[in-house]
Amino acid sequence: MTKNNNQNLEARERRIAEARSLNLFSDVFMTAALQDPAACQHVLRILTGIKDLTVKSVRTQYRISRMVSHDAILDVYAEDTDGKLYNIEVQRTDTVNHARRTRFYTSMIDSECLQKGKNYDEMPEVYIIYISRTDLWNAGKTVYPVQKYLGDRKLPYDDGIHILYVNAAVNDHSTAAQLMEFFKTADPDDMSQGDLSRRVHFLKSEEGGYQVMCEISEKWYREGEEHGKIEGKIEGEKNQARRTALELRKMGLSVDMIARAVNFSLDTVKQWLAEGVSPAK
């Protein structure tokens, strides 16, 4: 028992030491830093340019789940005192379609906040802030706001969605560029970034920060294990429904009837039937 306890303690200490060496492009450290409303507010004020923005609540690694689509795990999901929503995503690889990823996250947020019975004009303003290490658009700017216009660009089109692409590769000496420099270092002795700097200093250099990092790393470890179990169960149920759909098709049932029987969308069942091969049991 003592040996196991020592091994668990060593594993925890190792995870904390690794987290303390990371910067704000790391999931673990960014979660620890930006779950603090004041630190998150500092980042949002600089990147949106809304100087009086006041953060009311922050959720990190917030999961939005749908049975028949991918889950969306939002790195940082904040709300201000005016009801505006903010999603900060930090992209660590260039292998995805960034524009379509932001489109997906926007749709998931909209579906989450537009409850049954609400009118469309009750949908809140949403800001998607997509931060990357590299200049994804190769145009030499630190911040790329997505602009929407009707026709010949004389009429702005406002649908309440605001998308900002921010990168740490281009230093144009703006306040946003200075913030990105700090993201890359997360130097606890650099106090240039106000509440964000104070939060980073606390996490990396003060005794209380050790406990916060410990709790977060342990939480991530447990949730990772639990989510793996849940995903395995859901995938098993989906595979069983697919096998059932194929068998019902052989019996001559219509696609509509099969979709109702297995309780999946018509499009999903059509895809299964088009593939025509049941997954391995």
Side-chain angles (χ1 to χ4, degrees):
M1 180 65 71
T2 301
K3 183 178 179 181
N4 289 338
N5 287 340
N6 287 339
Q7 288 175 340
N8 291 336
L9 181 61
E10 289 174 3
R12 185 180 68 177
E13 295 287 346
R14 186 169 60 252
R15 289 197 297 272
I16 298 303
E18 290 171 353
R20 282 183 160 179
S21 71
L22 297 173
N23 60 24
L24 287 160
F25 281 94
S26 153
D27 279 331
V28 173
F29 194 70
M30 187 192 67
T31 294
L34 296 191
Q35 71 178 11
D36 175 66
C40 183
Q41 178 176 283
H42 176 84
V43 172
L44 290 176
R45 283 183 173 182
I46 288 178
L47 297 181
T48 64
I50 306 173
K51 299 188 183 301
D52 61 349
L53 186 158
T54 302
V55 167
K56 182 174 73 173
S57 65
V58 181
R59 287 170 283 187
T60 55
Q61 299 304 311
Y62 179 67
R63 182 182 296 275
I64 302 175
S65 298
R66 295 289 180 270
M67 280 297 293
V68 293
S69 69
H70 292 290
D71 287 0
I73 303 176
L74 311 183
D75 286 345
V76 178
Y77 189 42
E79 182 179 358
D80 71 11
T81 52
D82 293 325
K84 296 184 180 73
L85 301 177
Y86 304 85
N87 172 214
I88 300 175
E89 290 298 315
V90 174
Q91 181 59 33
R92 297 158 194 88
T93 175
D94 291 336
T95 59
V96 300
N97 187 314
H98 308 287
R100 280 171 170 73
R101 185 183 179 210
T102 58
R103 170 183 164 184
F104 172 69
Y105 276 56
T106 301
S107 68
M108 293 293 276
I109 292 171
D110 279 346
S111 67
E112 179 87 345
C113 64
L114 186 63
Q115 298 174 359
K116 234 178 185 180
K118 281 192 174 183
N119 296 321
Y120 291 117
D121 57 8
E122 296 181 80
M123 296 177 73
E125 298 279 309
V126 175
Y127 288 77
I128 306 291
I129 301 171
Y130 198 86
I131 301 175
S132 61
R133 286 182 177 273
T134 59
D135 182 4
L136 300 177
W137 309 109
N138 298 313
K141 297 181 182 296
T142 302
V143 180
Y144 298 91
V146 175
Q147 305 288 352
K148 299 177 184 178
Y149 298 92
L150 289 169
D152 59 4
R153 296 175 58 88
K154 291 182 180 179
L155 283 174
Y157 179 76
D158 181 12
D159 60 359
I161 300 295
H162 311 274
I163 299 173
L164 300 169
Y165 288 95
V166 186
N167 73 84
V170 177
N171 187 347
D172 59 11
H173 307 292
S174 63
T175 54
Q178 293 166 19
L179 176 63
M180 289 300 99
E181 289 299 309
F182 185 77
F183 262 61
K184 290 190 290 187
T185 65
D187 181 355
D189 297 321
D190 178 358
M191 302 306 292
S192 66
Q193 294 299 316
D195 286 322
L196 178 61
S197 288
R198 283 187 279 277
R199 178 66 172 176
V200 168
H201 185 273
F202 168 73
L203 292 171
K204 287 193 171 186
S205 302
E206 298 180 29
E207 185 62 31
Y210 178 90
Q211 184 61 32
V212 172
M213 295 299 293
C214 178
E215 290 172 358
I216 288 175
S217 63
E218 290 295 328
K219 180 173 180 287
W220 274 43
Y221 181 76
R222 290 194 304 270
E223 287 184 353
E225 286 190 327
E226 185 61 29
H227 183 61
K229 293 176 183 177
I230 293 171
E231 285 194 331
K233 181 181 178 182
I234 291 173
E235 190 61 28
E237 292 174 351
K238 190 173 181 179
N239 285 343
Q240 180 59 51
R242 188 184 309 178
R243 287 192 288 268
T244 301
L246 292 172
E247 291 301 319
L248 292 175
R249 187 58 168 170
K250 290 178 183 176
M251 295 167 62
L253 271 69
S254 70
V255 179
D256 286 343
M257 293 178 66
I258 294 171
R260 288 197 296 271
V262 299
N263 198 28
F264 275 83
S265 72
L266 192 62
D267 287 342
T268 298
V269 171
K270 284 180 179 178
Q271 181 181 341
W272 291 345
L273 299 179
E275 292 168 353
V277 179
S278 174
K281 296 182 180 180

